Amino acid sequence: MKLARRDDEARVRELYQIANDACKAIIDKNENSLIQAQSGMSGFQYLWYNFCQRNFTATDAEMIWDLAQYGPNTNSNFGVLAQPGSRGGTYGSRKAMQFMLPTYYLSFDENDTRRDVTCTSYSIYFLNKGAAGDTFVDVGTTYSCIMHGKFRIPWCVEPQEAAKRNLNIPVMRYADVLLMYAETQNYLNNGPTQAAKDALKQVRDRAGVGELSMPSDQQAFEDALLQERKWEFAGEFMLRTDMIRMNRLSEQLEEAKKDMKELSKREGKYANMPVYRLYKFQVDGQQYGDKFLALDYIDLTDEAEIAVIKEIPTEQGKYSEYQAKLAEIVRAHGIVVEDGDKWYPTNMFEAYTSTFNGNARKAVGFTGGFNALQIGAIIYKNPTGYAENGGKFPNWIEASDGSDGLYYGFQKNCCELLPFAAKDPGHPMVDNPNLTQHPAYAK
């Protein structure tokens, strides 16, 4: 048994030709297109917001095939666990049980409109636990709790019940057709044709990154396509299949682990990654159909500013003075501070529950429950940083003996059910310790 593309090249080319012709037929028919920016939203946000709202006339041009989910009998719990998480209020308690690697969140170009749709660095929580008529807020999170965003609960229509979310299941979009066509053209012609480049550029243009360099080498173009598919389709349950088709699964898992370790230690391309972020205090709309996308924030790199934000008062009477100092920092970054605006710092490499992060939220008004989130509890209570974890990798990245962490249990050239192993129940990457690779593989 092995992870490899089949070795009969003639059949591989035949399959690629079938896919190429099918994609070209859809493109040439000119019945589909990518949803573009409108109504104050980017095209990507407009697509997913309306998909969650079941406004299918707004998404049909791009959403070629999705599985219907509506009604008392045909209505899955799809999307229940893939969202920012909420605690009470209009949305009830919905626990997020999936999260995005911070290295993925950080991989997007600064102009890419897909990041804040796909990834959420906030969760919906109450300001004062147990208070009658409490205020619910979109609270900023750390790197160990970046969550899925395409199927977020405020964008949806009101669910029929907690486990029936009325969300259709997306299967194929026109963006997929374009990127598959670019892939087949690249493979069949030993390098990207102009048609392949045009197809890739369509997807990039919609995302706001059409100026990214366009590779002309076959392997470099495939690399670019794989990365584009990561940015475009995360959370749609196809990326693992993409990596298997391209024979890149094992390589990509190893690269992800390497990147996470570099981020944890702030080495390599993450050497200058800012540690501190100022989030703007944001009250949640608490209504279905809320168009809220992402929290405003400022990444801090100036040592003088960092020194100011680190001096968090522990006495409530000094919170106003502290807020005034934060407002000056915000203005220094060219942002207008309106009456009533509040900001709070977060150490992105510490756990959400760290003393610093907890005190920062207290200073902006959080009281009871200030250190809790409606998220799978184990991850968000862990740091991302190596130094912040006492000079060792957090165990969700790698255990001290190197035996677990990300992609826990995966072994190359083994028959796998899922990349988890039947070991150490309670490990942060393992909800069901009975999921394992096939026990009868030949090593």
Side-chain angles (χ1 to χ4, degrees):
M1 191 169 292
K2 61 182 179 179
L3 274 171
R5 177 174 276 160
R6 58 191 301 158
D7 53 15
D8 48 344
E9 174 64 18
R11 179 58 175 159
V12 173
R13 292 189 66 83
E14 182 181 4
L15 292 170
Y16 264 89
Q17 189 65 56
I18 291 170
N20 179 84
D21 295 346
C23 291
K24 189 174 189 302
I26 294 172
I27 293 169
D28 289 348
K29 203 167 185 178
N30 202 31
E31 289 183 351
N32 299 96
S33 60
L34 299 179
I35 302 299
Q36 300 300 322
Q38 52 194 296
S39 300
M41 303 183 205
S42 70
F44 206 65
Q45 182 185 358
Y46 190 83
L47 167 68
W48 289 109
Y49 174 80
N50 282 282
F51 186 76
C52 292
Q53 278 283 294
R54 303 186 63 83
N55 294 330
F56 298 131
T57 55
T59 63
D60 278 349
E62 179 165 351
M63 194 65 68
I64 295 175
W65 182 21
D66 51 290
L67 302 181
Q69 298 290 308
Y70 190 80
N73 299 317
T74 304
N75 200 327
S76 77
N77 58 6
F78 175 75
V80 170
L81 306 179
Q83 37 103 19
S86 61
R87 182 64 181 268
T90 298
Y91 312 126
S93 292
R94 303 287 189 269
K95 180 175 284 189
M97 292 297 289
Q98 299 181 41
F99 82 117
M100 313 294 273
L101 291 183
T103 47
Y104 173 74
Y105 172 78
L106 294 167
S107 72
F108 286 86
D109 183 273
E110 64 180 358
N111 297 313
D112 199 321
T113 59
R114 294 173 293 194
R115 189 198 71 172
D116 289 341
V117 174
T118 303
C119 307
T120 60
S121 57
Y122 73 92
S123 184
I124 303 166
Y125 211 72
F126 39 61
L127 196 62
N128 303 298
K129 184 177 181 180
D134 195 11
T135 298
F136 285 80
V137 298
D138 301 308
V139 57
T141 58
T142 66
Y143 283 142
S144 60
C145 43
I146 304 290
M147 291 152 285
H148 284 270
K150 288 178 179 174
F151 312 111
R152 65 188 76 187
I153 192 168
W155 286 2
C156 293
V157 296
E158 185 171 0
Q160 293 175 312
E161 56 187 76
K164 294 184 176 181
R165 293 287 295 281
N166 309 327
L167 274 168
N168 280 13
I169 301 173
V171 178
M172 181 174 289
R173 297 196 278 118
Y174 187 61
D176 193 7
V177 173
L178 289 170
L179 293 181
M180 285 192 291
Y181 184 59
E183 182 181 338
T184 59
Q185 284 285 294
N186 183 54
Y187 182 85
L188 293 169
N189 295 282
N190 301 313
T193 60
Q194 188 59 48
K197 293 177 180 179
D198 290 345
L200 172 56
K201 194 170 188 306
Q202 276 194 62
V203 176
R204 287 179 168 181
D205 283 345
R206 194 265 294 273
V209 291
E211 299 308 311
L212 290 178
S213 62
M214 185 68 69
S216 56
D217 171 75
Q218 182 178 12
Q219 186 59 58
F221 192 79
E222 182 180 286
D223 293 346
L225 283 175
L226 178 56
Q227 182 60 63
E228 201 68 36
R229 294 186 72 86
K230 291 180 188 178
W231 288 328
E232 183 72 22
F233 300 117
E236 298 177 59
F237 308 103
M238 65 171 67
L239 292 175
R240 181 170 170 273
T241 304
D242 291 336
M243 289 185 275
I244 291 172
R245 180 181 69 254
M246 295 179 178
N247 193 24
R248 308 283 288 273
L249 179 61
S250 180
E251 161 209 313
Q252 288 292 308
L253 298 186
E254 289 302 317
E255 183 177 321
K257 287 192 285 187
K258 177 178 178 293
D259 284 350
M260 276 304 306
K261 290 178 181 179
E262 286 189 353
L263 176 65
S264 184
K265 284 191 166 184
R266 292 192 284 286
E267 295 178 345
K269 60 186 174 184
Y270 304 104
N272 298 315
M273 186 59 55
V275 173
Y276 294 96
R277 175 176 288 188
L278 269 182
Y279 280 116
K280 186 177 181 180
F281 181 79
Q282 171 76 35
V283 175
D284 186 78
Q286 285 292 289
Q287 60 181 358
Y288 289 101
D290 183 4
K291 296 181 175 67
F292 177 71
L293 177 63
L295 287 172
D296 292 336
Y297 69 86
I298 302 168
D299 281 330
L300 300 177
T301 56
D302 183 89
E303 291 299 328
E305 293 178 343
I306 291 171
V308 170
I309 64 104
K310 289 172 73 173
E311 294 297 323
I312 303 172
T314 56
E315 300 174 31
Q316 189 171 359
K318 296 183 178 180
Y319 287 166
S320 295
E321 180 184 349
Y322 182 62
Q323 275 298 318
K325 293 178 181 178
L326 297 184
E328 286 304 310
I329 293 175
V330 173
R331 292 189 186 97
H333 286 262
I335 298 172
V336 175
V337 179
E338 304 284 355
D339 288 343
D341 284 355
K342 294 182 180 180
W343 296 72
Y344 55 100
T346 297
N347 184 315
M348 299 296 289
F349 286 85
E350 289 184 358
Y352 180 88
T353 55
S354 73
T355 300
F356 176 86
N357 289 334
N359 285 338
R361 287 188 294 276
K362 282 184 179 181
V364 80
F366 282 81
T367 56
F370 69 96
N371 255 355
L373 282 180
Q374 195 69 358
I375 299 173
I378 301 175
I379 292 291
Y380 84 88
K381 293 180 180 179
N382 279 267
T384 298
Y386 185 92
E388 290 79 1
N389 195 51
K392 59 182 180 180
F393 290 116
N395 71 342
W396 65 276
I397 297 175
E398 180 182 84
S400 57
D401 64 0
S403 65
D404 53 15
L406 290 172
Y407 306 105
Y408 182 50
F410 174 82
Q411 295 182 56
K412 187 178 180 179
N413 297 335
C414 299
C415 181
E416 48 174 325
L417 299 177
L418 281 174
F420 302 132
K423 178 183 175 184
D424 298 341
H427 184 279
M429 298 300 289
V430 181
D431 278 328
N432 182 353
N434 293 318
L435 292 173
T436 183
Q437 290 188 305
H438 194 286
Y441 61 76
K443 289 187 177 179

